[in-house]
Amino acid sequence: MKYYIIAGEASGDLHGSNLMKSLYKEDQSTEIRFWGGDLMQSVGGTLVKHYRDLSFMGFLEVVLNLKTILNNIKICKKDILEFQPDVLVFIDYPGFNMRIAKWAKKLGMKTHYYISPQIWAWKENRIKEIKRDIDKMYVILPFEKEFYENKHHYEVEFVGHPLIDAIQNRIPTNDIEFRKENNLSDKPIIAILPGSRKQEITKMLSVMLSVAADFPDYQFVIAGAPSQEYSFYSTFLISNNCHFISNKTYDLLSVSTAALVTSGTATLETALFKVPEVVCYKGSWLSYQIAKRIVTLKYISLVNLIMDKEVVTELIQENCNTKTLKLELQKLLDTKYRNEVLENYNALELKLGGIGASQKTAKLIVDNL
C-alpha cells in the first residue's frame, strides 16, 4: 500500500523513521513518500521536502514566513494528488498538517494522525477539526486518551511513547571511545540541548553557555542538530570548556552528568536517559506575550506535565538568565537532589506505557486499511 507521511520537525523525523521501519515490516508492499528529515530518509521511501525548510517558531515568525508556508502547502497538495496514497499519516506539526487533513478529507482520502496536536495546551477548539478531518488518532501521552475520550467523546488509541523504543533499541555508547572520538576530556559532561531551529538556538545557546566559566571542573558539550551547520554554532564557542558535537544527542546524553535543555521533546528524552536537567525557554517578546495569554498549562516541559508536578526546574523568559541558571545547575550536581529527580524519572517511565509504540501504531494503520 501507499503511505504519505508528513513530519515537520526533528522529533517528528525520529518518530517517523521508526514508524516507517514498522510499516515496512507489517506491509511488504509498502510505498512511502514523506516530508521529514535524514532519519526518515535513511529508512527508505522518497523525501519530498526536508523539515529544515518547514520549521518556524513563534507567532511572529509564522507571520513573517507566511508566503513560504502557503507555498509549501500548495506543493504538498500537488504531490499528494500525483502519488494517490492509500492513507495520509500526520505526525504532530498541526499548523501545517491540519490544513492538509481538511483538504484531503474533502477528497475522500483516509487520514490518520500519529502523535496528537497538543490541543490540551492551547487551541482546544481544534477538536472540532480533528473530529471532522481525522479518521484515526494515535496518542502517546497517558493523559491524552482521557482528554479525548472523557472530555470530548472522541475515540483514540493510546500506543505508548515511541521515545522508549528509540532509546532502548539504540546501540549502547562506549564512554571512553565517545570521548576519544569527539576530543573530550575525562571531566564530567554537562549536555547542552538548545533545540533544532536557528531561531530557538540563537535565543538559548548564549545564556546556556554563559555559566560554563563557573564550572571549570566540568565540560559543556553542545548537541548540534543535524539540520544546522557547525559554522552556525561556532560563534557561541567562547569558553575553553565548551565543545560541539553534531547529530549524536543520544550518545551524548548517555554519558552526561546533567543537562540544560530547551523546552520540547528533548526534555523527555533527557529524562528517559536518567540525566537530571534544567528546562529553559526564551521566545521573542511578542510570541511570549501571546503564548502566556492563551496557554493554560501549569508547566511547559513534558516531564512535569506527565507527572503533574515539578520534577524538573523550568526557567522561562526573564527567569532564564545566567544567575538563576548557575544556581539551578549547582543543585543538579548535589547527590541528594539528583536522587530525588532520578526516582521521579523512574515513575515517569512507568507512566509512558512500555515498549512497542511504533509497531503498535503501524499494525493499527495497516489493519485499518
Side-chain angles (χ1 to χ4, degrees):
M1 295 187 190
K2 298 163 77 172
Y3 305 83
Y4 200 100
I5 303 174
I6 305 175
E9 298 171 305
S11 59
D13 181 37
L14 171 64
H15 302 322
S17 67
N18 288 321
L19 178 64
M20 286 169 65
K21 291 175 187 174
S22 297
L23 284 171
Y24 281 121
K25 289 179 183 177
E26 287 290 328
D27 178 7
Q28 301 301 314
S29 65
T30 293
E31 286 183 62
I32 300 176
R33 285 181 72 83
F34 63 91
W35 293 48
D38 298 339
L39 294 176
M40 293 173 76
Q41 193 169 24
S42 70
V43 176
T46 302
L47 173 66
V48 180
K49 209 166 184 66
H50 200 288
Y51 70 78
R52 72 168 69 93
D53 302 320
L54 307 175
S55 296
F56 302 103
M57 188 182 94
F59 302 95
L60 179 60
E61 292 79 6
V62 168
V63 171
L64 293 175
N65 291 280
L66 190 57
K67 184 177 180 181
T68 300
I69 294 168
L70 292 175
N71 187 54
N72 284 335
I73 290 171
K74 183 179 178 181
I75 292 169
C76 186
K77 289 178 179 179
K78 183 175 182 292
D79 194 62
I80 290 169
L81 287 175
E82 290 175 355
F83 185 55
Q84 286 295 304
D86 294 291
V87 64
L88 286 161
V89 182
F90 306 107
I91 300 180
D92 201 2
Y93 197 51
F96 187 93
N97 276 334
M98 288 306 299
R99 283 173 175 260
I100 299 297
K102 180 180 179 180
W103 166 82
K105 189 64 179 172
K106 286 180 178 178
L107 295 178
M109 297 182 186
K110 290 194 174 183
T111 55
H112 290 207
Y113 219 120
Y114 177 43
I115 305 177
S116 165
Q118 296 178 351
I119 65 170
W120 36 265
W122 70 300
K123 287 194 174 181
E124 191 168 341
N125 61 350
R126 197 173 251 164
I127 185 64
K128 297 174 185 176
E129 301 167 35
I130 289 174
K131 285 182 172 182
R132 182 190 67 208
D133 300 330
I134 303 301
D135 295 320
K136 297 290 181 181
M137 174 71 76
Y138 310 106
V139 302
I140 63 172
L141 298 173
F143 59 79
E144 288 179 320
K145 186 173 177 66
E146 182 179 350
F147 170 83
Y148 274 111
E149 295 188 348
N150 293 356
K151 188 173 182 179
H152 292 292
H153 311 292
Y154 177 69
E155 186 177 345
V156 300
E157 295 280 356
F158 173 59
V159 294
H161 207 292
L163 281 180
I164 295 177
D165 291 343
I167 291 169
Q168 289 197 2
N169 294 338
R170 59 184 292 277
I171 299 171
T173 305
N174 182 293
D175 191 342
I176 296 174
E177 289 181 4
F178 177 77
R179 290 171 186 267
K180 185 177 180 181
E181 289 171 2
N182 295 283
N183 298 314
L184 302 177
S185 70
D186 293 332
K187 290 181 179 180
I189 293 172
I190 308 294
I192 306 294
L193 278 62
S196 59
R197 305 180 186 96
K198 279 190 175 181
Q199 292 157 324
E200 64 184 343
I201 296 168
T202 301
K203 288 278 185 186
M204 301 307 311
L205 197 47
S206 292
V207 68
M208 286 175 156
L209 292 178
S210 68
V211 301
D214 295 307
F215 296 87
D217 295 331
Y218 293 82
Q219 54 190 327
F220 289 69
V221 184
I222 302 167
S227 56
Q228 307 299 341
E229 301 293 332
Y230 170 73
S231 57
F232 171 65
Y233 292 94
S234 61
T235 56
F236 298 95
L237 298 171
I238 58 175
S239 176
N240 289 333
N241 63 335
C242 295
H243 307 274
F244 172 84
I245 61 170
S246 181
N247 201 20
K248 296 179 182 178
T249 301
Y250 281 10
D251 290 335
L252 174 61
L253 285 173
S254 70
V255 298
S256 292
T257 298
L260 307 180
V261 186
T262 296
S263 177
T265 304
T267 64
L268 185 55
E269 291 173 311
T270 303
L272 291 174
F273 272 100
K274 306 300 192 289
V275 181
E277 65 185 300
V278 179
V279 176
C280 309
Y281 174 80
K282 271 182 179 284
S284 70
W285 182 87
L286 179 60
S287 293
Y288 177 68
Q289 293 302 317
I290 295 171
K292 75 177 185 178
R293 286 165 172 77
I294 62 176
V295 176
T296 58
L297 299 175
K298 288 189 290 184
Y299 308 108
I300 64 168
S301 69
L302 284 171
V303 176
N304 291 344
L305 283 168
I306 294 166
M307 295 299 290
D308 196 26
K309 65 178 183 178
E310 188 180 84
V311 172
V312 295
T313 299
E314 299 178 350
L315 300 181
I316 304 171
Q317 213 65 4
E318 65 271 8
N319 289 328
C320 187
N321 58 63
T322 303
K323 181 180 178 181
T324 311
L325 201 53
K326 178 183 174 182
L327 291 173
E328 292 300 330
L329 182 53
Q330 286 173 332
K331 284 169 62 177
L332 290 188
L333 303 175
D334 174 75
T335 302
K336 183 180 178 182
Y337 182 82
R338 290 174 63 80
N339 288 339
E340 290 176 4
V341 173
L342 293 175
E343 284 181 18
N344 281 306
Y345 281 176
N346 290 334
L348 168 75
E349 190 166 0
L350 289 175
K351 274 195 167 190
L352 289 175
I355 63 173
S358 302
Q359 197 64 45
K360 288 174 193 172
T361 306
K363 189 174 190 311
L364 287 167
I365 292 171
V366 173
D367 287 350
N368 180 265
L369 295 179

